[in-house]
Amino acid sequence: MDDHRPVLLAVAHGSRLAAGVAANHALLQRVRALRPRLDVRCCFLDLARPGLPEALAALNGRAAVLVPLLLGGGYHLRVDLPRALAAAGLAHLPLARALGPHPLLAAALADRLTAAGRPPGAGPVVLAAAGSSDPAANADTARAAALLADRLGDGRPVVPAYLSAARPTPRQAVAALHAAGQRRVAVAPYLLAPGFFADRAGGAGARWTGAPLGTHDALARLVALRYDEARAGAPAPDGGIRRALLT
């Protein structure tokens, strides 16, 4: 462990399901394997412990970089995390960007579809994201869908869909494709861990449904990359709001 490097403090949504919490811890074990000298810690925004305020207090003055285990921008990234840092008197700590959209996520999604049995070029894909009331977060999902289409490279469309707060839902998107004569539809859950949303994605009526991203090596590499970017001083995604919270 290198005490001179900032802690990588990963911040996950949290879940009532033990499997969902375990998936986050397993992902960070992969990150530790990539960076064995780095102090990698995990905390949660809700529903699991340690919570973010508890994890910030446990730093005891250590430098840290917060890496949100979030696939897109939204209220948590723009408001909740900067507010928590300000409340803890740690507004100077770097806050990394959301994990997505990114080509590494597209690679992981493509691998999950292959593992689920979807042959290359089989048919359209529905990208099933959690969804948000924030248009910017849903725009990130649309960009992730475009990246997945590029990664698949088979000319089949990838349709963004949302499991909450926006439309179409994955079930609606699959039904629309079926109505258009597309029977070989796949769903790619744009989710980190098993849980309620993953179960809903699995019930969308597709022929194939990938697994959540979980502990895919590409995802672990992306967490480390976001840490490196933030530590090097890449602009925070929430600069304006973060400054407003401190004035």
Side-chain angles (χ1 to χ4, degrees), residues 85-164:
L85 287 172
L90 297 172
H92 61 282
L93 295 185
L95 174 59
R97 292 187 287 163
L99 297 177
H102 195 279
L104 282 169
L105 291 175
L109 289 164
D111 284 352
R112 293 292 189 242
L113 287 172
T114 298
R118 178 189 182 268
V125 174
V126 172
L127 183 67
S132 173
S133 58
D134 186 332
N138 295 332
D140 282 346
T141 299
R143 287 191 287 272
L147 287 171
L148 178 55
D150 288 344
R151 177 72 186 196
L152 293 174
D154 54 18
R156 304 300 185 183
V158 177
V159 179
Y162 309 94
L163 290 153
S164 68

Side-chain angles (χ1 to χ4, degrees), residues 5 9 25 29 52 63 66 81 93 98-99 111 152 159-160 188:
R5 297 184 187 182
L9 180 56
H25 287 297
Q29 279 295 100
L52 177 56
L66 267 67
L81 293 177
L93 295 185
L99 297 177
D111 284 352
L152 293 174
V159 179

Side-chain angles (χ1 to χ4, degrees), residues 211-237:
L213 293 165
T215 59
H216 195 286
D217 285 340
L219 184 57
R221 294 200 304 274
L222 183 55
V223 172
L225 173 64
R226 291 300 192 225
Y227 169 87
D228 290 339
E229 290 174 344
R231 186 184 177 198

